[in-house]
Amino acid sequence: MPTADLIFKNADVIIVDGKQPKADFVAIKGDKILFTGSKDFLNDFTGPNTRFIDCAGKTLLPGFNDAHCHVYSLLRKLTGIDLGAPEIKSINDIQSAIKAKTAKTPPGEWITGTDYNEFYLAEKRHPTRWEIDAVSPDNPVMITHRSLHGCVLNSKALALAGITTETPEMPGTMIDRDVNRGGEPNGFLAEMVGYLREHVMPPISEQGIESRYQTGKRTISCARFNLASGCYLCQ
């Protein structure tokens, strides 16, 4: 019988198995669970190089992945500009992507981008409204941070949202301001994405939902196939 590299002993192991709901120890070999069971079998899996972790009666649970999807966020993402790493490396890259989208978008129509992350940008900071204005002055633009806890609006979008130097911050939100411009908002807003989508941006039309839904089905189906068989169609 193979011996374990690592044993969690003296544990209240919850196995989530109707036939054997609990155990006293877990034996590990490499990156696999070798055995779970009663302490009466502990010595059977103990070798000269076995390492022990004494759980002192504490609960041990199986690991799990919480696989889920925010459907509306996915639909918005599929029709917005992907500003995520590693393709986007700088604010100039963000500007180039917005400029390309603007060229295909009628003036006045909203442009959105998703998943930018300042930690992966060369400048190590958020873009500003003026940097977005430079490439898209006639369209309202909102780009959302990877966390969805922040976003950047250009001047057109800020005007539609009614955000000015005098605008107070709603509880739990933050309007970043440029002290060198008399406290004028620089475009970065914290904890306001939901408010802007609900109260400022136009709702997604039924036709838009259907279009996004069909795109989403193709994306998810290909992603599932990719996981199963190494499909590279979406790369």
Side-chain angles (χ1 to χ4, degrees), residues 20 22 59 92 167 178 188 193 213 232:
Q20 183 190 354
K22 290 196 174 185
T59 300
N92 184 63
T167 303
D178 191 329
F188 178 74
V193 172
Y213 171 69
Y232 54 88

Side-chain angles (χ1 to χ4, degrees), residues 97-113:
I98 294 174
K99 184 177 181 179
K101 181 71 171 179
T102 301
K104 304 174 184 177
T105 307
E109 189 173 309
W110 278 84
I111 293 173
T112 61

